[in-house]
Amino acid sequence: MGSVPLPACLLALGLAGTVLAPGCGAAEGRLAHKLFHDLFANYSSALRPAEDTERALNVTLQVTLSQIIDMDERNQVLTSYLWVRQAWLDAHLAWDKEAYGGIDSIRIPSSYVWRPDIVLYNNANERFGGSMETNVVLRSDGHIMWDAPAITKSSCKVDVSYFPFDGQQCHLTFGSWTYNGNQIDLRNRLDTGDLTDFVENVEWEVLGMPATRNVVTYGCCSEPYPDVTYTLLLRRRASFYIFNLLLPCIMISFLAPLGFYLPADSGEKVSLGVTVLLALTVFQLLVAESMPPSESVPLIGEPRGGHGAPGGEIRTPHRPSCPIGKYYIATMTMITASTALTIFIMNIHHCGPGARPVPPWARRLILHHLARALCVVLVGESAGRPQREGTGRTGPRDPPGEGAEPGLCPHSRCLCHHHAVLSSVGYIAGVFRRHRTAQRHAAEWKKVAKVMDRFFMWVFFLMVFLMSVLVIGNAA
């Protein structure tokens, strides 16, 4: 033992972790070895350590969330890094610390003692691995504390109806696999999970982790089975999706109404609408690749309450009331409608000479009232008005034979030629009048198409603006 007497060495031992006096290492080792040999001489880790077999063994559970490794929305699997702490009383592993030099606790491999078979019920890991085989802390009064880190994959029902402003509720349900409530009474140590050592996630914000104890009776057995469920309340950080999905979609959607502003003779009105529709389809596919194939279309729905609802109900975080997935669909529907209207207006614009006259109601409603409301200037409006019958008649007004040289063609001899000339001139004048009427009808239809173009341009601009303000306002 050296220069230090044995009683002083034993007093210097104390609890585990106390600085030892010089020369005490050998004494502590012999006492710890003796304690270990005495405790496990007749101990079996296969039996539940209860003095009274009729009473349930109390097991407390505490979960610390260290990190969210991954949230797979498509497969609905949450991968998290947890610290699982279990504590129980083993009546067969208690000792008098005074008899062993004041040793109050020892640390031994967890395989040496009985451990409750607490598993994650909603485990989604294909290997179904448990906690790491770490040491347990065994105290002199028989209390055992087992802290073990675990990387868990749990099933999580993902609701993408409010993407990218959605909040998810992922449940982690722990319970005994074989012991019922009459044998193990599982309880949560705290009312919430421990988040003090949580490493912030770049995509998800953790709002809380409340814990609830449930007692369930399954169909296979009549005994109750208690479990502890930790509900992980998550809210998605939407900045990435706003700048990479929403803003490009909004800027592209503003190009759709400009198709009505293009001249009809340019030939690019329909091409612009189809190009914008294809661009939005690409963005829609990008969103659909990361979403689970469910019936719920990503939607930003009505606001809901927080996670402190009456009656103990855990509710999702606040959700704004506007879409991204449905915003894409609404925008694509709007662009499809604008392309169809563009084709219809181009058909009106290119009405040929055989077109019928513009109906009076359309002339009064579109060319007069709507054109004035939209400040559309119709070039040649006064010149295109129909003239009275006979005002545009062309032909010789002079009497037959007037202006002819005297003596060349007497009146009696030129009468037949005069009727032939008048008939030819009347035919030419009729053809000219019909041509002018057809041109006037075509010009009126072009004016109708121009006014309708301008009207639908402002209507679609207003629709895109309102939807964009609704999305950005809720995102902010």
Side-chain angles (χ1 to χ4, degrees):
M1 289 293 298
S3 60
V4 181
L6 182 59
C9 177
L10 295 179
L11 292 175
L13 288 175
L15 297 176
T18 306
V19 179
L20 302 178
C24 293
E28 182 187 9
R30 286 196 298 269
L31 292 174
H33 185 272
K34 183 177 183 303
L35 173 61
F36 179 80
H37 183 270
D38 293 342
L39 288 176
F40 294 94
N42 296 317
Y43 181 81
S44 175
S45 61
L47 299 177
R48 184 172 62 95
E51 292 182 341
D52 188 359
T53 57
E54 299 297 330
R55 298 182 59 182
L57 180 65
N58 294 326
V59 178
T60 60
L61 179 68
Q62 176 63 30
V63 172
T64 299
L65 178 62
S66 178
Q67 185 181 0
I68 295 177
I69 299 177
D70 181 43
M71 168 64 89
D72 189 355
E73 293 95 340
R74 188 167 186 84
N75 296 317
Q76 304 189 67
V77 174
L78 171 67
T79 305
S80 55
Y81 178 39
L82 306 175
W83 299 345
V84 182
R85 170 175 292 184
Q86 304 176 44
W88 65 94
L89 176 62
D90 195 328
H92 304 309
L93 295 180
W95 72 90
D96 184 8
K97 61 181 178 180
E98 299 298 333
Y100 294 92
I103 297 179
D104 184 62
S105 63
I106 58 175
R107 289 163 175 81
I108 58 176
S110 59
S111 59
Y112 281 76
V113 300
W114 176 89
R115 295 171 296 178
D117 55 345
I118 306 299
V119 296
L120 180 63
Y121 282 173
N122 56 331
N123 194 351
N125 194 348
E126 55 187 11
R127 298 182 180 179
F128 209 86
S131 302
M132 184 182 295
E133 296 290 337
T134 58
N135 291 341
V136 297
V137 179
L138 176 60
R139 306 189 70 87
S140 60
D141 56 359
H143 281 90
I144 298 178
M145 184 176 296
W146 182 25
D147 286 337
I151 296 179
T152 61
K153 289 186 176 182
S154 58
S155 58
C156 178
K157 184 179 179 181
V158 179
D159 184 10
V160 296
S161 301
Y162 303 90
F163 177 84
F165 311 107
D166 56 333
Q168 305 297 336
Q169 292 185 5
C170 294
H171 302 285
L172 300 171
T173 303
F174 295 90
S176 175
W177 190 253
T178 58
Y179 293 103
N180 56 50
N182 299 325
Q183 297 169 332
I184 288 183
D185 187 11
L186 181 63
R187 295 185 178 274
N188 47 304
R189 183 179 180 185
L190 299 175
D191 293 335
T192 180
D194 189 6
L195 300 175
T196 55
D197 298 318
F198 177 71
V199 179
E200 293 293 333
N201 189 269
V202 296
E203 184 178 1
W204 296 95
E205 178 184 1
V206 178
L207 302 180
M209 194 177 178
T212 56
R213 180 179 181 270
N214 307 300
V215 179
V216 182
T217 301
Y218 296 98
C220 65
C221 315
S222 59
E223 298 84 1
Y225 283 85
D227 63 70
V228 176
T229 300
Y230 290 88
T231 303
L232 191 59
L233 303 178
L234 302 176
R235 182 171 61 191
R236 192 189 303 270
R237 303 180 190 271
S239 301
F240 173 82
Y241 300 98
I242 290 175
F243 288 102
N244 291 276
L245 292 179
L246 270 182
L247 291 183
C249 175
I250 291 173
M251 290 187 290
I252 291 176
S253 61
F254 270 100
L255 294 177
L258 292 178
F260 294 105
Y261 194 73
L262 281 175
D265 296 330
S266 64
E268 298 294 333
K269 294 171 69 70
V270 179
S271 300
L272 178 61
V274 173
T275 304
V276 173
L277 185 61
L278 290 177
L280 286 178
T281 304
V282 172
F283 280 101
Q284 177 69 17
L285 291 176
L286 291 177
V287 176
E289 285 181 356
S290 59
M291 294 296 103
S294 61
E295 294 182 357
S296 58
V297 180
L299 166 70
I300 305 169
E302 295 298 328
R304 299 186 180 180
H307 51 81
E313 181 183 359
I314 300 174
R315 295 184 181 179
T316 54
H318 172 75
R319 294 174 174 177
S321 55
C322 209
I324 180 173
K326 282 245 174 127
Y327 174 74
Y328 281 160
I329 295 177
T331 306
M332 293 170 64
T333 305
M334 183 190 65
I335 294 174
T336 304
S338 66
T339 306
L341 287 173
T342 300
I343 296 174
F344 173 71
I345 293 174
M346 288 183 64
N347 189 24
I348 294 177
H349 176 84
H350 291 286
C351 285
R356 294 184 299 176
V358 177
W361 65 266
R363 184 182 295 108
R364 182 173 59 256
L365 176 63
I366 298 177
L367 297 183
H368 293 169
H369 301 292
L370 195 58
R372 292 177 183 177
L374 298 174
C375 300
V376 179
V377 179
L378 301 177
V379 181
E381 184 177 2
S382 60
R385 294 176 181 174
Q387 299 178 356
R388 293 181 178 178
E389 189 70 20
T391 56
R393 179 182 297 178
T394 58
R397 294 285 184 176
D398 299 330
E402 183 177 351
E405 296 182 4
L408 294 179
C409 185
H411 179 73
S412 58
R413 295 182 180 180
C414 295
L415 185 59
C416 59
H417 299 285
H418 175 71
H419 287 293
V421 170
L422 287 179
S423 177
S424 300
V425 170
Y427 175 76
I428 294 173
V431 172
F432 182 73
R433 284 195 303 270
R434 288 192 296 271
H435 179 68
R436 288 288 302 271
T437 303
Q439 285 185 339
R440 186 173 65 251
H441 293 167
E444 286 184 347
W445 283 116
K446 289 183 179 180
K447 294 173 185 178
V448 170
K450 183 177 181 181
V451 175
M452 293 178 64
D453 260 336
R454 196 63 53 88
F455 171 73
F456 285 116
M457 182 188 73
W458 290 115
V459 168
F460 280 90
F461 259 130
L462 182 62
M463 293 174 58
V464 173
F465 178 76
L466 290 179
M467 289 194 305
S468 303
V469 169
L470 195 60
V471 170
I472 297 177
N474 286 278

